[in-house]
Amino acid sequence: MTAINMMPFPERAWLFAKCSEIAYLEPRDGVNAFAELGFDATFIDHDGSQAYWLVNDEDLVIVCRGTEPTEFKDIAADLKAIPVPSVTGVGKVHAGFRESVDDIWPALHELASDYGKTRKIWCTGHSLGAAMATLIAFRLQRTEDTPNPMALFTYGSPRVGNKKYVRGIEATGVLHFRFVNNADIVARVPLWPFRHFGGMYYMNHYGHLRALTFWQVTKDVWRGFLVGLKRKNINFFTNHSITRYAANLRRWADGDNG
């Protein structure tokens, strides 16, 4: 497998979206699917908080599993939108997201510390997994015996921390490529005092990457809403599907961006 930092950016964006999609599979299926992508995968599960640790000859990847509607722990984490102090000592973060990371951090730290600062590591995830990946990226950067993240790729990420936290992670230089599919409602919550950081890559109603403008968003929301009424679904929620993110980015990587 080509080193991730040598891949064209659209291919890289698709790879991490595909990893985030695979993370929802049952562990045995997930390990096999990651092997097809060229990774040895270790599944980490503690008290319902879950992630994969991926390794190949060139890269390390942490893929956090997102919200599963049947998992009470995931729903509880999403709803626990209380600002609490960050473990990094900088600002405040969403209590539910921090608890989810706290559950799996000891296992991740043990694996990552074997490599020190000598290897390339990437963090990614969708939904709750995107929020967890964000917190993990900052912890890796602030921990002396773990690799510094090359970049963070998130899909449908909720807001994670307050203004001080966001400024703190920005000051470390961690790169964050944040993808938002049209009217994805999760990317718009929780509200104050939480905020986003990192450049946003916006996908329009047709799944094409576009510059974010008020008029573009207005058109897309109404297009999606009307189409959703015809199909008896609500685009605010269907746009959140990681399968849609991955399919849109596969087309982009193949040179089809409308």
Side-chain angles (χ1 to χ4, degrees):
M1 179 179 177
T2 304
I4 293 173
N5 66 327
M6 299 300 291
M7 292 179 176
F9 182 76
E11 187 73 20
R12 202 182 313 168
W14 168 80
L15 173 66
F16 290 124
K18 187 63 181 177
C19 287
S20 297
E21 183 181 25
I22 291 171
Y24 285 100
L25 298 176
E26 290 299 314
R28 180 180 298 176
D29 296 330
V31 168
N32 290 335
F34 283 124
E36 291 179 5
L37 290 179
F39 293 105
D40 293 326
T42 300
F43 182 61
I44 298 168
D45 183 1
H46 187 276
D47 196 26
S49 298
Q50 299 163 333
Y52 281 90
W53 171 262
L54 309 182
V55 181
N56 64 20
D57 291 339
E58 298 289 340
D59 294 285
L60 308 170
V61 182
I62 294 172
V63 187
C64 297
R65 181 184 277 190
T67 304
E68 295 185 276
T70 58
E71 292 291 335
F72 176 78
K73 176 71 183 296
D74 289 354
I75 301 301
D78 289 342
L79 294 176
K80 202 167 185 179
I82 304 166
V84 296
S86 164
V87 170
T88 62
V90 179
K92 293 186 177 182
V93 298
H94 185 291
F97 302 157
R98 198 193 88 167
E99 287 181 5
S100 294
V101 173
D102 287 345
D103 285 339
I104 61 173
W105 177 251
L108 287 174
H109 179 256
E110 182 177 356
L111 290 165
S113 62
D114 287 342
Y115 296 89
K117 296 292 185 184
T118 64
R119 285 290 296 272
K120 299 186 290 291
I121 192 167
W122 309 79
C123 300
T124 191
H126 165 257
S127 193
L128 167 63
M132 293 169 63
T134 301
L135 297 180
I136 288 168
F138 198 6
R139 291 195 192 188
L140 289 170
Q141 186 79 32
R142 301 271 293 188
T143 303
E144 292 184 357
D145 61 348
T146 59
N148 292 332
M150 294 289 289
L152 167 68
F153 282 73
T154 64
Y155 307 90
S157 178
R159 299 181 178 100
V160 174
N162 67 0
K163 182 177 181 180
K164 187 174 181 181
Y165 180 83
V166 169
R167 285 184 173 177
I169 193 170
E170 287 175 340
T172 68
V174 171
L175 296 174
H176 183 191
F177 302 102
R178 182 169 61 88
F179 290 84
V180 175
N181 183 32
N182 192 4
D184 185 344
I185 190 65
V186 175
R188 292 162 170 79
V189 296
L191 303 178
W192 186 90
F194 302 101
R195 57 174 59 198
H196 284 301
F197 94 96
M200 183 174 75
Y201 289 78
Y202 173 77
M203 303 175 190
N204 70 5
H205 172 69
Y206 304 105
H208 301 140
L209 276 289
R210 291 292 184 265
L212 181 65
T213 65
F214 176 78
W215 176 236
Q216 181 71 62
V217 172
T218 301
K219 287 192 300 181
D220 290 337
V221 168
W222 280 106
R223 281 170 179 158
F225 182 69
L226 293 174
V227 170
L229 286 179
K230 293 178 182 178
R231 297 177 179 173
K232 297 183 180 180
N233 60 39
I234 301 175
N235 66 319
F236 302 113
F237 301 106
T238 57
N239 284 170
H240 186 57
S241 164
I242 184 57
T243 300
R244 289 200 177 192
Y245 278 92
N248 292 344
L249 291 169
R250 183 65 269 171
R251 289 194 298 271
W252 188 38
D254 290 338
D256 177 12
N257 193 36

